[in-house]
Amino acid sequence: MSFEQAPNLLSLLLDSVGRLGDRPFLWSKRDGNYSPQSWIEVRDEISNIYRGLKAIGIEPGDRVALVAENQPKWLIADCAIMACGAITVPAYTTNTVEDHLHILNNSGAKAVFVSDRKLARALLPAAHTAQSVDSVISMEPLELHQDIGPTVFGWDEIKAKGAAQPDDLSDAVGRIERTDTCCIIHTSGTGGSPKGVMLSHGAVISNCDGAFNIFKKHVAIDSEVFLCFLPLSHAYEHTAGQFLPICIGAQIYYAEGVESLVANMAEARPTIMTAVPRLYETILQRIRTQLKRSGGVKERLFERAVILGSKRYENADGLTLLERIVDNILDLLVRKKVRERFGGRLKFFVSGGAPLNYEVGRFFTALGVRLLQGYGQTEAAPIVSCNPVEKLKLHTVGPPLTGVEVRTADDGEILIRGELVMQGYWNDPESTAATIRDDWLHTGDVGRIDEDGYIQVTDRKKDLIVNSGGDNVSPQRVEGFLTLQPEISQAMVYGDRRPYLVALIVPESEIVESWSKANGMPADLAVLADDPGFRDVVAAAIDRVNGEMSSIEKVRRFLIAPDPFTVENNMMTPTLKIRRHVVRAEYGPQLDALYGK
């Protein structure tokens, strides 16, 4: 079945099931080892859960929330909800009671899936208070005793209800239209309460179609292996890490978490993996730290491989004969070992969710690891563009996907049109009208389109800093360089209508611990934030960055955040960049005070 002819996402799943049957599909850890479920086993479980949902009253158009860690049951629940003609409402596992309550009330969810007791602690109080929730389905036993509130069903209980009904999954899938809403994904944007982005089956299918066309010369149908790492509640992983593999018949391994990621890569040996820039920044920093500790010949060979690889990418004339010989040797001595760290058969990483620093992209490219930067947002299902393997331009986010129209407005804002564009914000016609005008999605991002049709995103429209001299400064560029320093974990620069930039800094935890131990002080940022010696460590990192910046981009003063911000939604993306409006509200007065010193 072609993407163009597919009536809905589940039809593509059933098409893959028909081809692959008993072959492995979903891999998860059981008793310490990865074990698979076949395509037909997953299909049958989806059918049972779908029929069980019907038995407890889930009807077409109903919203069903989903709160769980990445695992096979996430995909099964998602597809079962869609088979009912209902709409999946994913929620982050890091949500508070208040966050869950907003999403449940905003969507009018009739039921909600939850994985275990840990996540139920925040979800159940919200479900009890929410106006519309009738049922909670637990993937693992909750061992609750309650007489009031929503009815709690176990996963096996729902399966049993479904197994008692005729298997009509194929007929149910045949009733779903491409224009039907498949999910409502909440996004906070630049501020305010999260808005529910309504995405149709067609929007996600068009994304998968466009992504496949970008990579089709390097992708083998029914043969690829994905490692699912980013939260499936995020539109990026929902499309690229779940439905794209379904469409091309790929196997999916579920990573256990950030701490186990490197080990899981060695076990799964993925061929394709999607992640966010923060992951690549962290890998770069760890490699540099390990090499510095090793020193000697190993460090020199590695640095030479980076230098020659960078020259090969950036220099149109390429390498000299002697450099090519040395480079080939380094490919065996250095780059092969780097590739083995990622499982040994990785075709490419895809980076999205936030801007990728050029230096990070060049570093991986120089080491022979393809790192393809893409661009998008939840309102675009979410992928708009991506760099192709054949013509990589690291300073851009690539050309638009097939079927996507992109242009820039007079003020430089990037506008998008196509089937990928959301149907609107749930129950928010005012915000919808402000975001989609004349069929064009106004992204809020500022950029340009080069001579090859590649998109270059320069900043968020609302985040551009205009200093007191009238100069425009891109905060994301400065922050990107700051967070590349081994001493800095997160950063936010500040300075609208001010004479120069100041910054809020969260130091790396390893630096905090090692410096505190060496100086006999507690590893407490509330104490270290004002310690002259520790501030000198941070200042030295900022000075290195300032040496590469123009005069208007230099950070003149800084504030150390006394409490590290948690990594939002397990995405490994610096929270300061995502929730800039929250940080401004909390630290604005202290940052303003830096100008008076």
Side-chain angles (χ1 to χ4, degrees), residues 448-466:
R448 58 180 293 269
I449 301 172
D450 71 11
E451 63 281 358
D452 294 319
Y454 283 50
I455 304 168
Q456 186 174 2
V457 182
T458 56
D459 221 306
R460 287 289 297 170
K461 187 175 179 180
K462 292 183 178 180
D463 285 343
L464 280 173
I465 291 174
V466 182

Side-chain angles (χ1 to χ4, degrees), residues 286-358:
R286 289 179 179 174
I287 291 175
R288 292 284 193 199
T289 300
Q290 291 170 3
L291 285 169
K292 191 173 182 180
R293 290 172 181 166
S294 300
V297 175
K298 186 176 181 180
E299 183 179 18
R300 290 196 294 272
L301 288 175
F302 190 92
E303 293 300 339
R304 188 63 179 162
V306 173
I307 290 169
L308 291 179
S310 298
K311 182 178 179 182
R312 183 169 12 93
Y313 169 72
E314 293 183 326
N315 193 329
D317 296 328
L319 305 178
T320 66
L321 177 59
L322 178 59
E323 286 174 332
R324 286 200 300 272
I325 294 172
V326 173
D327 196 52
N328 287 334
I329 296 172
L330 291 172
D331 200 57
L332 295 173
L333 296 178
V334 177
R335 298 191 185 98
K336 183 179 179 181
K337 293 180 179 179
V338 172
R339 290 192 290 268
E340 287 172 352
R341 290 188 64 173
F342 302 129
R345 58 180 183 180
L346 187 72
K347 294 181 178 181
F348 47 80
F349 278 121
V350 180
S351 178
L356 177 71
N357 188 288
Y358 175 81

Side-chain angles (χ1 to χ4, degrees), residues 38 50 125 127 140 177 182 189 217 223 274 286 306 324 380 387 410 435 536 553 571:
S38 71
Y50 140 68
E140 304 296 336
E177 301 289 339
C182 68
K217 292 182 181 179
S223 299
T274 59
R286 289 179 179 174
V306 173
R324 286 200 300 272
N387 268 277
D410 293 341
T435 305
D536 285 345
E553 294 174 311
M571 287 189 63

Side-chain angles (χ1 to χ4, degrees), residues 442-485:
H442 287 62
T443 66
D445 292 315
V446 176
R448 58 180 293 269
I449 301 172
D450 71 11
E451 63 281 358
D452 294 319
Y454 283 50
I455 304 168
Q456 186 174 2
V457 182
T458 56
D459 221 306
R460 287 289 297 170
K461 187 175 179 180
K462 292 183 178 180
D463 285 343
L464 280 173
I465 291 174
V466 182
N467 65 20
S468 57
D471 300 303
N472 288 344
V473 181
S474 168
Q476 290 183 350
R477 168 178 154 79
V478 181
E479 290 162 356
F481 278 100
L482 287 169
T483 53
L484 280 182
Q485 303 307 306

